[in-house]
Amino acid sequence: MESLTHFLDQVWFVILALFLLLYVMLDGFDLGVGILSLTSSDEQRRSILMTSLGNVWDANETWLVLMGGALFGAFPLAYATILNALYIPIFGMIFGLIFRAVAFEFREHAENKLLWNFAFGAGSFLAALSQGFALGGVLQGIAVDELGHFTGGMWDWLDWRSLLVAITLIQGYVLIGSTYLIMKTEGELQIIHYRTAKLAALTTLVGAILITITTPFVSENIRTKLFHEPEIYVFAVIPILGLLFVGLLLKSLKQREETTPFIWTILIFLITFIGLGLIVFPYIIPPSITIYQAAASPSALVFMITFIGFLIPIMLFYNIYNYVVFRGKVIES
């Protein structure tokens, strides 16, 4: 019975990781396009950028809502503790997403679009920055007591490590947003995003290297896990694959390919996410509370997984159908 319970906990850890990965990849290019809209030189180009998101951005955010609900149901202790510890960055993320959504709708009906253009870009930047600080706060560890309740301060998440993670995540979002726009635009605007994609790929790579180098020195738990056999061989393969994908991405950008840069970027996000998942597992509140300690009752997990089992295929089908229907380029009018 205990092994079955542990298996359920692990399944839910994987499900939550899947929801987070889908959100980061799908809403990631939304946020990246929003950040890039701040650099657009004229209203026509900015309109093309926003039109490219018009029919997909709200569906992409659904995965974040689903992940929050699943975390609350499957690991209620983690939900309460993480939200308590990261209250400010999570609030900043929610505010940024709301601000962006309101700006997106209001801009369509405004005569003077300048304010809402800035609001859309600023909301996207704030959401991305807040997500980076939240991720950095989790990776550096959350102070808890023996019951898993948060005992740290309001600003524990804010230091140079979380700032490095936040800046790198923003660059990653700009990268995936640029490769998405390469597929959706043409002409001079497409050429611009070949350049932004190359620059973002290089800055993201630098940030990832700095995080990889510095993390083992500042976290004893992660250092122990990274250099323990046989895990050390797995963790050695991940950065090698990451460098390979970055090289292939830069090559595809140089050759002016349209679809493959986005595919290589998705693979970069995927391999990075796998590495983060392996580093964190089995902790749901690093570095002390595991998924087995924070999980809900087995009956609750079984009930939820039955419901989620029907929901995931429906949502995936809707997302895929949405992208198929609205495929193609956004043409200047």
Side-chain angles (χ1 to χ4, degrees), residues 10 88 221:
Q10 293 166 7
I88 293 177
N221 290 331

Side-chain angles (χ1 to χ4, degrees), residues 206-222:
V206 171
I209 291 173
L210 290 175
I211 293 171
T212 302
I213 293 174
T214 58
T215 298
F217 290 100
V218 297
S219 175
E220 182 179 352
N221 290 331
I222 293 178

